[in-house]
Amino acid sequence: HFNKKDSYPFEKCNTITEVNKTKIIDKCPKYLLLHLKRLVGGHKKINDQIEYHLNLDVSMFCTEGQENSVNYMLMAICVHDGSASGGHYYAVGKRVTKWYVFDDKTVSPELEDSVLNYQAYILIYAKVQLTLILSLIHISEPTRPERISYAVFCLKKKK
């Protein structure tokens, strides 16, 4: 049910019409950044926990005829600790299959189960590529992580 704030005045015919605001994705990007509204009026921070997921299906927001893959996986989170007038930013990010907290000069491992407990400010999702998923399943725990990163980079470039 609409209320006055969901109405839009049309000056030409001097009427107020009920509206429904919708966002549609014409072409799914490789990376999807979601900026969560954490400030009200520029001076008050919203500290409520917002539910987000490791995997995101955006097919309901896409136009018809969209390519097959409209699924994304969470790759990084930008977190702000503090108030609207000041604070500290840090990131939680995924490297191949493991999560880490990047806080200034400190990098520490993080459990995947804990990733969804942060007060996210920005969520960064990467579009799921079927070839990448199938290839990562066959990669065992690396003894030399730089080789695995290179392999994943090459897989991402394949079409």
Side-chain angles (χ1 to χ4, degrees):
H1 180 57
F2 293 103
N3 57 36
K4 262 210 183 293
K5 75 176 192 175
D6 296 322
S7 301
Y8 185 80
F10 285 95
E11 294 175 5
K12 286 186 179 179
C13 48
N14 202 23
T15 60
I16 295 178
T17 305
E18 294 177 343
V19 295
N20 186 7
K21 187 175 181 181
T22 307
K23 298 285 185 188
I24 299 293
I25 301 171
D26 285 327
K27 185 174 184 332
C28 290
K30 187 173 181 177
Y31 298 99
L32 182 65
L33 280 67
L34 302 177
H35 178 246
L36 305 177
K37 185 176 180 177
R38 288 280 188 191
L39 296 176
V40 177
H43 62 277
K44 184 174 186 260
K45 184 177 175 190
I46 301 170
N47 288 312
D48 297 344
Q49 183 65 29
I50 296 172
E51 183 180 336
Y52 54 95
H53 303 278
L54 293 173
N55 298 297
L56 181 66
D57 179 3
V58 298
S59 58
M60 65 189 296
F61 303 105
C62 296
T63 56
E64 287 185 35
Q66 188 67 247
E67 65 264 19
N68 294 338
S69 179
V70 288
N71 295 303
Y72 288 84
M73 63 181 171
L74 185 63
M75 296 304 294
I77 304 164
C78 177
V79 182
H80 178 263
D81 276 341
S83 65
S85 59
H88 177 69
Y89 288 95
Y90 63 95
V92 180
K94 187 175 186 180
R95 182 166 188 248
V96 186
T97 59
K98 297 194 181 218
W99 286 91
Y100 297 91
V101 176
F102 300 90
D103 191 353
D104 293 334
K105 293 182 181 180
T106 306
V107 176
S108 53
E110 180 61 281
L111 297 172
E112 185 172 72
D113 294 345
S114 300
V115 169
L116 300 177
N117 296 328
Y118 286 92
Q119 280 192 353
Y121 183 64
I122 298 174
L123 298 168
I124 302 171
Y125 285 90
K127 190 173 180 183
V128 175
Q129 302 292 335
L130 185 59
T131 55
L132 178 62
I133 292 171
L134 293 175
S135 299
L136 282 176
I137 291 170
H138 295 95
I139 296 175
S140 60
E141 186 65 24
T143 53
R144 295 181 63 189
E146 64 276 5
R147 283 189 174 176
I148 298 303
S149 296
Y150 179 73
V152 171
F153 175 77
C154 290
L155 290 171
K156 287 180 182 175
K157 293 292 183 182
K158 277 188 176 178
K159 292 257 177 172

